[in-house]
Amino acid sequence: MVVVVLESVPPGLRGELSRWLIEPKSGVFIGDVSALVRDKLWEKCCRAKRTGGVIQAWSTNTEQGYAIRTYGRTRREVVEFDGVQLMLTPHRRPVGEVSTEDEHID
């Protein structure tokens, strides 16, 4: 099984992926394709993404049972911690909020 998430990509790329995978939600594609087709779709997404980003997850023989890769500008990034892939969501502070690191104590 493979899952592809597209963020801010040209509409033509979504149309191309819909030939191989179903799109249950806008920009999210799911399917069961061979490793060769999965890698070819990945290459196509990376070439055609322009300013957007791509996340791909697929079933594989690991402790987690899947692997993840990202390319381009995505809202999340993959980090590896003790051999486990995790998704990092950058923290965004609301406008005007000051962190404790920014405060100076005299």
Side-chain angles (χ1 to χ4, degrees), residues 7 11 18-19 28 37 45 47 49-50 59 62 64 69 81 84 93 100-101:
E7 296 181 14
S18 68
R19 295 177 185 175
V28 178
V37 172
C45 290
R47 281 194 313 271
K49 66 150 188 75
R50 293 191 188 156
S59 301
T62 63
Q64 290 177 286
R69 57 185 167 188
F81 184 74
V84 176
R93 280 189 224 127
T100 57
E101 296 171 0

Side-chain angles (χ1 to χ4, degrees), residues 39-87:
D39 291 340
K40 293 291 185 185
L41 291 174
W42 176 250
E43 291 170 10
K44 180 176 286 293
C45 290
C46 291
R47 281 194 313 271
K49 66 150 188 75
R50 293 191 188 156
T51 60
V54 183
I55 300 171
Q56 187 180 63
W58 66 96
S59 301
T60 189
N61 190 17
T62 63
E63 287 293 322
Q64 290 177 286
Y66 59 87
I68 305 170
R69 57 185 167 188
T70 64
Y71 187 77
R73 298 182 65 154
T74 61
R75 292 187 189 117
R76 292 175 169 80
E77 64 182 86
V78 178
V79 293
E80 191 165 316
F81 184 74
D82 287 338
V84 176
Q85 288 186 306
L86 304 170
M87 297 302 293

Side-chain angles (χ1 to χ4, degrees), residues 9-17:
V9 299
L13 180 54
R14 290 178 53 200
E16 183 70 29
L17 284 185

